[in-house]
């Protein structure tokens, strides 16, 4: 107990608990205050506040969380029955599948578009609504360290068990990936990750072996591809016909974005006037916060397509359109 | 490439069960250490135990216990239990030792336990603690049948085996499974189980599935020209065939007996199988259950306090 960053409780702490609407939990903790008079502190407030927020949102979150297809999960995000799920759960567009409501009822549905690269998929319930639904977090709102909670059907839908809740924190938030310590398992795929406002911030995608290796497709990936997914497009990520566009740069991580280490001769980058030392910030409004984002922004385009590039030169932001070129000589870190 | 050097990243210590976050819980838990003990079998820890009386009664997970039991208390002292009672139905054992330094837990009310409630529990080492939430409503978890640890290939391949007319030929024996321990070998043909003649693999499977882990069955097998009589004590299905459930392979260590405890509480604390038998506590220190099964990556199961207390009141 010697090295604890804890402060003794005060009347202020107790009243702040109650004043913030923590009446029930406040009562619960009076016993604790009496038996352990030295223990209190902001960390405990933080946990109590988190529990209260999770529990107050939980019914609404659970009502909108569904089983999708053969052993996946999903979440309803509109009154007319639009469901977000993982691309590897929804599969190819325009297939007939079933969704399982929290009460076990099976509802016919149709798969819409998918965005393989981020593992984002959409499904439309075919029965008329209104359906219970949850809101989406706005773009760019997820931060490492945020509390979050996960719902889903790990191991597949089990009527006698129902949805399984996990509470954790966002470990990393990138444009193509969110990592959290909410433990996931097969069957959770496609299920929602929520912030403490009960808004969807991610869709469960995959796991690694360590318990805090849990990955979610970020809601930003849905925001960016929303109309395409809704209209049933199959965004495969990298072009499979080999006709992948080429920018012609070699990059290295900068504090924000990527700094150009090399500009290839006769490439789209050289023709457009990009220099070594320029820092790529955004392509088509997508922040260049990891190499996957850059690979996707360029690699999903065909030669001749135009992208909008925001870059930093001598501390000043510039924007221009670049017509991408044909695939050049393959280089491990050139695009 | 200085990958992600400036990228916002939640350090290990700051995660929900990171060391910095845990300091707070370890402080909350300090007061309850005298209510938790380590259960050793042959000198190695197999479970935790929860102190439930002033007179040295300790409750733990029965199916982890062997025959060379010792109890190590929070002060490091070892005691040999002089009495052991087991309730196989809910997999709990009540041990008794002579010790005055232990303090019984304070029971809480599990009837009001709701999804999202914070809970804490001792980790493998009785001085460490983890935190998590109640993650489903209370429910029953049905018991899985026991496993003999033999594999039959598909019928098509079975028909290719000329001697299968006699009985069911075993295509594979799982290493360390019940059949292996009983001396059954690949290629043996099972002709009788518990006095009932069998011919096809489906009949064998049906008869075995009527038994639970720990039960002993009698078999008659034919090996070459010889007819042999054998006894096999069935093992736990998931421990025998971990590859049957893909989720188990991604879950790290799980309990041997995972199912069949009647009503349970489920939470999301990442606890090892050796932490079973320990108390499931609210932050207030009130005990709302006894951890009984590390089920998979996302779930640990606990027997509700009310059920445990009913068992204690019923035992002499």
């Amino acid at each position: 107990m010697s090295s604890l960053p804890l402060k003794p409780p005060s009347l202020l702490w107790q009243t702040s608990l109650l004043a913030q609407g923590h009446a029930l939990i406040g009562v619960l903790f009076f016993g604790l205050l009496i038996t352990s008079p030295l223990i209190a502190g902001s960390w405990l407030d933080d946990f109590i506040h988190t529990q209260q927020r999770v529990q107050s949102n939980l019914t609404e979150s659970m009502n909108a969380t569904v089983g999708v297809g053969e052993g996946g999960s999903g979440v309803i995000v509109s009154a007319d029955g639009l469901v977000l799920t993982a691309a590897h759960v929804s599969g190819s567009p325009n297939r007939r599948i079933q969704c399982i409501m929290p009460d076990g009822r099976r509802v016919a549905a149709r798969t819409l578009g998918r965005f393989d690269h981020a593992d984002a998929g959409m499904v439309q319930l075919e029965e008329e609504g209104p359906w219970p639904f949850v809101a989406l977090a706005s773009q760019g709102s997820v931060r490492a360290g945020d509390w979050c909670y996960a719902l889903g059907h790990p191991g597949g839908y089990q009527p006698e068990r129902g949805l399984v809740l996990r509470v954790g924190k966002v470990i990393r938030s990138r444009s193509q990936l969110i990592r959290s310590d909410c433990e996931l398992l097969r069957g959770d795929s496609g299920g929602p990750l929520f912030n403490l406002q009960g808004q969807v911030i991610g869709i469960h995608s995959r796991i690694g072996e360590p318990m805090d290796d849990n990955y979610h497709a970020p809601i930003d990936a849905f925001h960016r591809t929303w109309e395409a997914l809704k209209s049933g497009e199959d965004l495969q990520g990298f072009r499979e016909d080999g006709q992948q566009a080429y920018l012609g740069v070699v990059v290295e991580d900068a504090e924000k974005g990527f700094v150009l280490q090399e500009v290839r001769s006769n490439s789209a980058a050289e023709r457009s006037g990009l220099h070594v030392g320029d820092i790529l910030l955004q392509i088509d409004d997508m922040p260049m916060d990891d190499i996957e984002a850059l690979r996707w922004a360029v690699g999903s385009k065909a030669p001749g397509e135009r992208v909008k590039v925001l870059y930093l030169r001598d501390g000043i932001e510039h924007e221009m359109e670049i017509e991408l070129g044909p695939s050049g000589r393959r280089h491990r870190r050139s695009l | 490439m200085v990958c992600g050097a400036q990228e916002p990243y939640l350090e290990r210590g700051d995660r929900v069960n990171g060391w910095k976050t845990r300091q707070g819980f370890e402080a909350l838990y300090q007061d309850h250490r005298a209510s938790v003990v380590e259960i050793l079998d042959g000198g190695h820890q197999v479970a935790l135990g929860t102190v439930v009386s002033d007179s040295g009664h300790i409750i733990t997970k029965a199916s982890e216990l062997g025959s060379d039991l010792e109890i190590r208390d929070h002060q490091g002292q070892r005691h040999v239990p002089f009495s052991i009672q087991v309730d196989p139905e809910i997999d709990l054992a009540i041990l008794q030792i002579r010790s005055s330094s232990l303090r019984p837990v304070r029971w809480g009310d599990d009837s009001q336990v709701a999804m999202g409630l914070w809970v804490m529990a001792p980790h493998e080492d009785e001085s460490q603690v983890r935190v998590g939430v109640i993650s489903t409503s209370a429910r029953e978890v049905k018991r899985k049948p026991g496993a003999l640890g033999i594999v039959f290939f598909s019928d098509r391949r079975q028909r290719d085996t000329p001697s299968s007319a006699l009985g069911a030929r075993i295509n594979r024996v799982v290493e360390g499974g019940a059949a292996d321990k009983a001396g059954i070998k690949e290629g043996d043909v099972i002709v009788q189980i518990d006095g009932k003649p069998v011919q096809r693999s489906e009949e064998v499977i049906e008869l075995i599935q009527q038994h639970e882990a720990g039960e002993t069955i009698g078999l008659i097998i034919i090996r070459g020209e010889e007819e042999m009589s054998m006894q096999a004590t069935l093992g736990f299905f998931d421990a025998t065939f971990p590859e049957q459930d893909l989720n188990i392979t991604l879950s790290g260590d799980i309990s041997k007996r995972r199912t069949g405890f009647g009503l349970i509480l489920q939470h999301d604390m990442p606890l090892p199988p050796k932490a079973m038998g320990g108390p499931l506590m609210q932050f207030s220190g009130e005990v709302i259950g006894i951890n009984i099964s590390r089920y998979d990556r996302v779930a640990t199961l606990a027997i509700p306090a009310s059920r445990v207390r009913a068992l204690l009141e019923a035992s002499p």
Side-chain angles (χ1 to χ4, degrees), chain A residues 31-45:
Chain A
L32 172 77
L33 287 172
I34 294 158
T35 52
S36 312
L38 284 174
I39 293 161
S42 61
W43 66 270
L44 188 53
D45 273 347

Side-chain angles (χ1 to χ4, degrees), chain B residues 58-66 69 83-96 143 257 311 315-316:
Chain B
I58 288 159
I59 203 148
T60 187
K61 179 170 170 69
S63 57
E64 297 291 344
L65 305 181
L69 293 179
S83 144
I84 301 173
Q85 302 168 64
V86 171
D87 182 339
E89 185 73 28
I90 57 174
D91 200 19
L92 285 179
I94 306 169
L95 316 179
Q96 199 175 359
R143 189 158 183 183
R257 176 169 166 188
L311 172 71
S315 67

Side-chain angles (χ1 to χ4, degrees), chain A residues 1 20 22 42 55 85 101 125 136 143 150 180 190 206 212 214 230-231 241 244 278 287 296 307 328:
Chain A
M1 289 209 28
Q20 286 167 27
H22 292 142
S42 61
Q55 288 185 327
T85 185
M101 297 301 120
L125 298 177
L136 307 180
R143 298 274 177 276
S180 82
R206 52 201 180 273
D212 48 10
N214 308 283
K230 237 184 138 178
S231 60
D241 55 8
Q244 185 178 309
D278 290 349
W296 159 253
V307 290

Side-chain angles (χ1 to χ4, degrees), chain B residues 150-315:
Chain B
I150 57 172
V151 177
F152 298 112
F153 291 156
S154 67
D155 279 358
R156 190 178 51 76
R157 290 168 72 179
Q158 191 76 29
R159 269 201 298 273
D160 294 341
T161 316
S163 61
S164 65
L166 292 169
R169 179 181 287 273
I170 296 167
N171 295 107
R172 189 166 77 83
V173 174
V174 177
E175 205 185 319
D180 188 26
K181 285 182 192 155
I184 293 170
K185 299 209 177 331
E186 185 183 313
D188 288 354
V189 176
I190 303 178
V191 293
Q192 226 182 76
I193 292 181
D194 285 341
K196 294 185 193 91
V198 288
Q199 281 202 315
R200 294 178 305 121
S201 56
E202 291 83 358
E203 294 170 321
V204 174
I205 293 166
E206 200 187 312
L207 284 171
I208 293 171
Q209 288 191 338
Q210 291 171 10
H211 296 273
E212 295 183 351
E215 290 182 10
T216 301
I217 59 170
L219 301 115
I220 294 177
I221 60 144
I222 293 177
R223 181 180 299 163
E225 303 287 292
E226 206 180 341
E227 192 175 279
M228 303 164 86
S229 180
M230 303 215 165
Q231 301 274 314
T233 302
L234 298 184
F236 294 104
F237 189 91
D238 297 321
T240 310
F241 295 107
E243 74 278 9
Q244 293 276 315
D245 184 342
L246 274 171
N247 276 342
I248 292 176
T249 59
L250 289 162
S251 294
D253 288 342
I254 55 160
S255 293
K256 283 184 290 187
R257 176 169 166 188
R258 298 196 304 157
T259 58
F261 313 106
L263 195 71
I264 55 90
L265 304 173
Q266 179 172 327
H267 59 83
D268 70 347
M269 270 181 277
L271 296 178
K274 285 178 189 171
M276 298 303 103
L280 177 66
M281 298 171 151
Q282 292 191 248
F283 285 177
S284 61
E286 291 187 337
V287 173
I288 54 172
I290 298 294
N291 287 318
I292 197 69
S293 165
R294 177 59 177 167
Y295 189 79
D296 61 24
R297 181 185 176 97
V298 303
T300 302
L301 311 181
I303 295 179
S306 50
R307 182 71 186 84
V308 179
R309 295 176 76 180
L311 172 71
L312 293 172
E313 277 155 28
S315 67

Side-chain angles (χ1 to χ4, degrees), chain A residues 169-180:
Chain A
K169 285 183 171 182
V170 173
I171 292 173
R172 184 169 256 172
S173 174
R174 295 173 152 192
S175 63
Q176 313 288 306
L177 199 70
I178 286 175
R179 181 179 168 196
S180 82

